[in-house]
Amino acid sequence: MSVTDNDTPSRIRSWSRRNLLHGAAALAGLAAFGPALPAYASDATAGTAAADGEADLEGVTLKVLVNTPHLPVYTKVLAPAWQQKTGGTLEATAVAYDQLTSDQIQDAQSGTGEYDVFDYFYYGLGSLVEAGALVDMTDWIATQKDLDTRDFLPSIYDAYTLYQGRRYGLPYDGDQQLVYYNTELFEKSGLRPPTTWDEYDAAAKKITKAGSGEYYGAVVQGQPDPLVLGCAFINRLVGYGGSLVDAAGRPTLKSDAAIAAVKHLVDINPYALPTPLQMGFDAANAAFLGGQVALIETWTGMALRAADPALSKIVGKWGVVALPLGGGNRLRRTPLDSGYGLGVSTASKHRSQALAFAKWATSIDEMLVQVTAPVSAIDPNRKSVLHSSAYAAASPTAVDLVRAGLDGPHVLWPKDAYAPQNLQTLVDQIALVIEGEQDAATALGNAQASWQR
């Protein structure tokens, strides 16, 4: 299947039950699971899986554990389509982002196996694999000739699915962040959209002073979680030319770029929507869509929401630019903030059907439906989807920036077994700086020491 200039969502979802079952039956080629696999799942041999793969999907209930922002696309887009195509039921349960990886591990290790599919953070991949929570999909992927793995975006395919030479999922949500701005508030203050972090802070200061409490120059998402404050820090770190780790995986958190990034998070606080350390992305997005703030760094799905009168009070009054640069850095790289894969739980009782779902949900046609739905928080995972005319039509203002970000140089978050813990330590230390309890150099030094341990 491919997406052409004539493709529209109306001709999507051409998969049949036969297509899905053919893919599921090929589970016979699934590799033996690694030594970290819990004992209760070790008897799921290729022969058993093959027999399961011959069963019909009709009447089977698959349960998926997802991050809260993904719930609408499951309930309003994926579940109805899955029911129509297969006769099966899809039930999605959402948990807060700070619980997602740990809850997925707990479900697999407990032996209850309540969930069949995990919609997982890529930076949690190592933790999930080492805990024995994800099925090794390497050999199964090799048998799926119609999966078209060459169409997956090179920037995210390995990053989201590969761990120590084996694949444990399919890339699902190709996340990055952009800077959205309120054109009305910018014009009122005689400003242009920022290209550097200094310009970003200066614009926020001017607009906040002009707003006198009615509106603010920026909203800083500072909730101490890797997915919230972590993104805010990493956006600035990469803008200044820094990275979290070097080519050998060693932490580089005491760099000048890291110190500059933390400094910006402190300096902008007086000119941001109040209480940044309590600000998560739901409240931040609502403030921007409601016209309360002029600047926000957020994921690319904002372009769909901001243009939808049912969701936005700023329709026709917003623009978007790439994340700013800083200092003397002129090399633009995309921080792959967050990002998700779809994997199958080792405790699933419907393993072959779960694999069939993951294949379908990440397919070209189905992904095109998801990335163009206003209720969706899903970004392209495939080259053909990213460069389709249908995606461009759904997000015309941001599409060139999205394409440049996913096709260009990028910066990965760590995804080793300790990555979630290390990233949490980092944001906890940065939060102390924002609160005024320590300086940036001390905080970053503490985080670096913790990562090295």
Side-chain angles (χ1 to χ4, degrees), residues 1-337:
M1 293 177 292
S2 63
V3 179
T4 69
D5 286 341
N6 295 322
D7 280 315
T8 63
S10 64
R11 62 175 292 277
I12 296 172
R13 300 193 181 112
S14 60
W15 280 50
S16 67
R17 294 186 192 182
R18 179 173 296 180
N19 295 139
L20 292 165
L21 290 171
H22 175 74
L27 183 61
L30 191 65
F33 302 117
L37 185 66
Y40 64 83
S42 63
D43 60 351
T45 64
T48 303
D52 290 344
E54 294 169 1
D56 199 342
L57 294 161
E58 187 169 3
V60 174
T61 296
L62 291 178
K63 296 184 178 182
V64 190
L65 189 58
V66 308
N67 189 17
T68 300
H70 281 186
L71 186 61
V73 77
Y74 278 88
T75 57
K76 298 180 180 181
V77 179
L78 290 172
W82 183 251
Q83 172 71 35
Q84 180 183 2
K85 292 298 181 184
T86 70
T89 300
L90 182 68
E91 295 181 0
T93 299
V95 296
Y97 40 82
D98 59 347
Q99 301 172 22
L100 184 64
T101 301
S102 59
D103 281 10
Q104 289 170 342
I105 291 173
Q106 174 62 27
D107 183 69
Q109 290 189 338
S110 68
T112 57
E114 181 178 356
Y115 300 101
D116 303 288
V117 178
F118 292 150
D119 184 349
Y120 64 83
F121 290 130
Y122 86 86
Y123 66 82
L125 183 59
S127 292
L128 289 162
V129 173
E130 296 294 347
L134 288 176
V135 167
D136 183 339
M137 296 168 61
T138 310
D139 294 343
W140 173 80
I141 289 172
T143 70
Q144 305 301 297
K145 302 306 180 184
D146 58 341
L147 184 58
D148 196 5
T149 59
R150 292 175 298 178
D151 188 51
F152 287 131
L153 289 165
S155 57
I156 69 172
Y157 186 32
D158 286 354
Y160 289 11
T161 69
L162 195 65
Y163 183 73
Q164 295 184 350
R166 307 292 293 180
R167 292 199 190 276
Y168 294 88
L170 297 176
Y172 179 51
D173 183 8
D175 274 341
Q176 62 174 306
Q177 292 196 346
L178 299 170
V179 169
Y180 295 81
Y181 64 98
N182 185 307
T183 55
E184 187 175 53
L185 296 180
F186 264 70
E187 290 169 2
K188 187 180 294 187
S189 292
L191 293 167
R192 295 181 177 180
T195 61
T196 69
W197 285 111
D198 286 340
E199 291 175 358
Y200 185 102
D201 290 0
K205 180 177 181 179
K206 185 172 184 178
I207 292 172
T208 296
K209 286 184 174 181
S212 301
E214 181 181 352
Y215 53 82
Y216 295 84
V219 55
V220 176
Q221 300 178 56
Q223 200 172 73
D225 183 270
L227 197 62
V228 187
L229 181 55
C231 288
F233 168 72
I234 292 167
N235 289 343
R236 289 160 177 79
L237 170 69
V238 175
Y240 270 84
S243 298
L244 292 168
V245 296
D246 62 20
R250 297 181 294 255
T252 55
L253 301 178
K254 297 195 294 182
S255 66
D256 291 342
I259 292 174
V262 175
K263 183 177 185 298
H264 275 280
L265 288 171
V266 173
D267 292 346
I268 199 173
N269 271 356
Y271 312 108
L273 192 68
T275 59
L277 286 176
Q278 299 175 25
M279 188 63 60
F281 52 75
D282 288 336
N285 287 346
F288 180 74
L289 292 171
Q292 295 176 266
V293 296
L295 285 163
I296 185 173
E297 306 149 55
T298 192
W299 286 279
T300 57
M302 175 58 76
L304 296 171
R305 289 168 169 75
D308 187 344
L311 304 172
S312 170
K313 294 181 179 180
I314 57 169
V315 176
K317 300 177 182 179
W318 61 277
V320 59
V321 293
L323 290 170
L325 301 177
N329 178 43
R330 296 295 179 266
L331 174 62
R332 186 169 299 284
R333 299 173 299 160
T334 301
L336 292 185
D337 292 334

